[in-house]
Amino acid sequence: MRNILKEKGFKITPARLAILQAFTKNKLPMSAEDVCKKIKSKKINEVTVYRTLSSLEKGGILKRVDLRKDSVYFELADQHHHHIVCTNCNMIEDFKNLEIEKAIEKVWKNIITKSSKFKSIREHSLELFGLCRMCM
Ligand SMILES: [Zn+2]
Ligand SMILES: [Zn+2]
């Protein structure tokens, strides 16, 4: 965690460390409220949590995940993957799929050559929404 912060040019602070630790342990996307709950014992106030999340996002350590919820969700930006979200109980599962990655790359090249407004695509996100086994 210290290394990630240093690599990206961040000074090490207790809040940054605690928040990154929470993300490393939890692995799944978390909202600011989730983070606050996880690091409650560290006595870091909410404003600091919000501010730290946003600066870690700008620094490329965290990234935003759109889970179609009211709160903004974040996760570590280190490994590209996608999510399945239960629309009933909000359970989240990560998944990786090489075929999807290949297909998206192939398709986007095609899309971009036909687009009159866009010249390049740099990244993509894909979230699937459904019902988990418990909610079926
Ligand atoms: Zn569910
Ligand atoms: Zn992908």
PDB file of all heavy atoms in Angstrom, residues 69-81:
ATOM      1  N   LYS A  69     -26.484   2.805  -8.526  1.00  0.00           N
ATOM      2  CA  LYS A  69     -27.028   3.069  -7.197  1.00  0.00           C
ATOM      3  C   LYS A  69     -26.889   4.549  -6.928  1.00  0.00           C
ATOM      4  O   LYS A  69     -26.236   5.265  -7.682  1.00  0.00           O
ATOM      5  CB  LYS A  69     -26.273   2.262  -6.151  1.00  0.00           C
ATOM      6  CG  LYS A  69     -26.463   0.783  -6.333  1.00  0.00           C
ATOM      7  CD  LYS A  69     -25.746   0.047  -5.251  1.00  0.00           C
ATOM      8  CE  LYS A  69     -25.588  -1.405  -5.648  1.00  0.00           C
ATOM      9  NZ  LYS A  69     -24.876  -2.157  -4.643  1.00  0.00           N
ATOM     10  N   ASP A  70     -27.488   4.996  -5.818  1.00  0.00           N
ATOM     11  CA  ASP A  70     -27.431   6.420  -5.503  1.00  0.00           C
ATOM     12  C   ASP A  70     -26.013   6.851  -5.142  1.00  0.00           C
ATOM     13  O   ASP A  70     -25.569   7.924  -5.516  1.00  0.00           O
ATOM     14  CB  ASP A  70     -28.373   6.755  -4.345  1.00  0.00           C
ATOM     15  CG  ASP A  70     -29.823   6.507  -4.739  1.00  0.00           C
ATOM     16  OD1 ASP A  70     -30.105   6.588  -5.954  1.00  0.00           O
ATOM     17  OD2 ASP A  70     -30.653   6.222  -3.863  1.00  0.00           O
ATOM     18  N   SER A  71     -25.298   5.991  -4.426  1.00  0.00           N
ATOM     19  CA  SER A  71     -23.936   6.376  -4.040  1.00  0.00           C
ATOM     20  C   SER A  71     -22.943   6.022  -5.135  1.00  0.00           C
ATOM     21  O   SER A  71     -23.187   5.151  -5.959  1.00  0.00           O
ATOM     22  CB  SER A  71     -23.494   5.674  -2.757  1.00  0.00           C
ATOM     23  OG  SER A  71     -24.571   5.188  -2.040  1.00  0.00           O
ATOM     24  N   VAL A  72     -21.837   6.713  -5.094  1.00  0.00           N
ATOM     25  CA  VAL A  72     -20.728   6.435  -5.999  1.00  0.00           C
ATOM     26  C   VAL A  72     -19.915   5.285  -5.404  1.00  0.00           C
ATOM     27  O   VAL A  72     -19.659   5.256  -4.205  1.00  0.00           O
ATOM     28  CB  VAL A  72     -19.834   7.680  -6.107  1.00  0.00           C
ATOM     29  CG1 VAL A  72     -18.620   7.416  -6.974  1.00  0.00           C
ATOM     30  CG2 VAL A  72     -20.637   8.854  -6.641  1.00  0.00           C
ATOM     31  N   TYR A  73     -19.525   4.338  -6.232  1.00  0.00           N
ATOM     32  CA  TYR A  73     -18.711   3.217  -5.760  1.00  0.00           C
ATOM     33  C   TYR A  73     -17.299   3.300  -6.321  1.00  0.00           C
ATOM     34  O   TYR A  73     -17.098   3.749  -7.451  1.00  0.00           O
ATOM     35  CB  TYR A  73     -19.351   1.884  -6.167  1.00  0.00           C
ATOM     36  CG  TYR A  73     -20.442   1.479  -5.215  1.00  0.00           C
ATOM     37  CD1 TYR A  73     -21.655   2.152  -5.208  1.00  0.00           C
ATOM     38  CD2 TYR A  73     -20.236   0.465  -4.289  1.00  0.00           C
ATOM     39  CE1 TYR A  73     -22.639   1.822  -4.300  1.00  0.00           C
ATOM     40  CE2 TYR A  73     -21.230   0.127  -3.385  1.00  0.00           C
ATOM     41  CZ  TYR A  73     -22.420   0.803  -3.389  1.00  0.00           C
ATOM     42  OH  TYR A  73     -23.389   0.474  -2.485  1.00  0.00           O
ATOM     43  N   PHE A  74     -16.344   2.852  -5.512  1.00  0.00           N
ATOM     44  CA  PHE A  74     -14.946   2.846  -5.923  1.00  0.00           C
ATOM     45  C   PHE A  74     -14.358   1.457  -5.731  1.00  0.00           C
ATOM     46  O   PHE A  74     -14.836   0.676  -4.910  1.00  0.00           O
ATOM     47  CB  PHE A  74     -14.116   3.810  -5.056  1.00  0.00           C
ATOM     48  CG  PHE A  74     -14.516   5.248  -5.192  1.00  0.00           C
ATOM     49  CD1 PHE A  74     -15.473   5.793  -4.344  1.00  0.00           C
ATOM     50  CD2 PHE A  74     -13.938   6.063  -6.156  1.00  0.00           C
ATOM     51  CE1 PHE A  74     -15.849   7.124  -4.456  1.00  0.00           C
ATOM     52  CE2 PHE A  74     -14.302   7.390  -6.281  1.00  0.00           C
ATOM     53  CZ  PHE A  74     -15.259   7.928  -5.428  1.00  0.00           C
ATOM     54  N   GLU A  75     -13.292   1.194  -6.470  1.00  0.00           N
ATOM     55  CA  GLU A  75     -12.500  -0.014  -6.214  1.00  0.00           C
ATOM     56  C   GLU A  75     -11.071   0.245  -6.676  1.00  0.00           C
ATOM     57  O   GLU A  75     -10.790   1.246  -7.338  1.00  0.00           O
ATOM     58  CB  GLU A  75     -13.096  -1.231  -6.930  1.00  0.00           C
ATOM     59  CG  GLU A  75     -12.966  -1.155  -8.432  1.00  0.00           C
ATOM     60  CD  GLU A  75     -13.550  -2.365  -9.142  1.00  0.00           C
ATOM     61  OE1 GLU A  75     -14.017  -3.302  -8.481  1.00  0.00           O
ATOM     62  OE2 GLU A  75     -13.530  -2.358 -10.379  1.00  0.00           O
ATOM     63  N   LEU A  76     -10.169  -0.654  -6.316  1.00  0.00           N
ATOM     64  CA  LEU A  76      -8.779  -0.489  -6.736  1.00  0.00           C
ATOM     65  C   LEU A  76      -8.709  -0.551  -8.258  1.00  0.00           C
ATOM     66  O   LEU A  76      -9.380  -1.372  -8.882  1.00  0.00           O
ATOM     67  CB  LEU A  76      -7.903  -1.596  -6.139  1.00  0.00           C
ATOM     68  CG  LEU A  76      -7.676  -1.526  -4.628  1.00  0.00           C
ATOM     69  CD1 LEU A  76      -6.889  -2.753  -4.175  1.00  0.00           C
ATOM     70  CD2 LEU A  76      -6.947  -0.243  -4.232  1.00  0.00           C
ATOM     71  N   ALA A  77      -7.892   0.295  -8.839  1.00  0.00           N
ATOM     72  CA  ALA A  77      -7.843   0.392 -10.304  1.00  0.00           C
ATOM     73  C   ALA A  77      -6.808  -0.553 -10.902  1.00  0.00           C
ATOM     74  O   ALA A  77      -6.516  -0.484 -12.081  1.00  0.00           O
ATOM     75  CB  ALA A  77      -7.541   1.833 -10.705  1.00  0.00           C
ATOM     76  N   ASP A  78      -6.261  -1.462 -10.086  1.00  0.00           N
ATOM     77  CA  ASP A  78      -5.099  -2.221 -10.574  1.00  0.00           C
ATOM     78  C   ASP A  78      -5.428  -3.333 -11.561  1.00  0.00           C
ATOM     79  O   ASP A  78      -4.621  -3.655 -12.410  1.00  0.00           O
ATOM     80  CB  ASP A  78      -4.277  -2.756  -9.392  1.00  0.00           C
ATOM     81  CG  ASP A  78      -5.100  -3.621  -8.464  1.00  0.00           C
ATOM     82  OD1 ASP A  78      -6.341  -3.635  -8.594  1.00  0.00           O
ATOM     83  OD2 ASP A  78      -4.510  -4.283  -7.606  1.00  0.00           O
ATOM     84  N   GLN A  79      -6.593  -3.941 -11.428  1.00  0.00           N
ATOM     85  CA  GLN A  79      -6.872  -5.081 -12.310  1.00  0.00           C
ATOM     86  C   GLN A  79      -8.180  -4.904 -13.054  1.00  0.00           C
ATOM     87  O   GLN A  79      -9.237  -4.772 -12.438  1.00  0.00           O
ATOM     88  CB  GLN A  79      -6.932  -6.366 -11.488  1.00  0.00           C
ATOM     89  CG  GLN A  79      -5.553  -6.867 -11.133  1.00  0.00           C
ATOM     90  CD  GLN A  79      -5.614  -8.300 -10.633  1.00  0.00           C
ATOM     91  OE1 GLN A  79      -6.636  -8.972 -10.747  1.00  0.00           O
ATOM     92  NE2 GLN A  79      -4.516  -8.759 -10.083  1.00  0.00           N
ATOM     93  N   HIS A  80      -8.096  -4.935 -14.374  1.00  0.00           N
ATOM     94  CA  HIS A  80      -9.297  -4.749 -15.179  1.00  0.00           C
ATOM     95  C   HIS A  80     -10.245  -5.931 -15.032  1.00  0.00           C
ATOM     96  O   HIS A  80      -9.860  -7.075 -15.211  1.00  0.00           O
ATOM     97  CB  HIS A  80      -8.903  -4.581 -16.651  1.00  0.00           C
ATOM     98  CG  HIS A  80     -10.092  -4.411 -17.520  1.00  0.00           C
ATOM     99  ND1 HIS A  80     -10.760  -3.221 -17.620  1.00  0.00           N
ATOM    100  CD2 HIS A  80     -10.767  -5.288 -18.302  1.00  0.00           C
ATOM    101  CE1 HIS A  80     -11.789  -3.370 -18.439  1.00  0.00           C
ATOM    102  NE2 HIS A  80     -11.809  -4.611 -18.871  1.00  0.00           N
ATOM    103  N   HIS A  81     -11.472  -5.650 -14.677  1.00  0.00           N
ATOM    104  CA  HIS A  81     -12.492  -6.699 -14.607  1.00  0.00           C
ATOM    105  C   HIS A  81     -13.883  -6.066 -14.656  1.00  0.00           C
ATOM    106  O   HIS A  81     -14.016  -4.855 -14.732  1.00  0.00           O
ATOM    107  CB  HIS A  81     -12.318  -7.531 -13.330  1.00  0.00           C
ATOM    108  CG  HIS A  81     -12.492  -6.718 -12.079  1.00  0.00           C
ATOM    109  ND1 HIS A  81     -11.459  -6.077 -11.450  1.00  0.00           N
ATOM    110  CD2 HIS A  81     -13.598  -6.420 -11.384  1.00  0.00           C
ATOM    111  CE1 HIS A  81     -11.915  -5.429 -10.408  1.00  0.00           C
ATOM    112  NE2 HIS A  81     -13.214  -5.603 -10.332  1.00  0.00           N
TER     113      HIS A  81
END
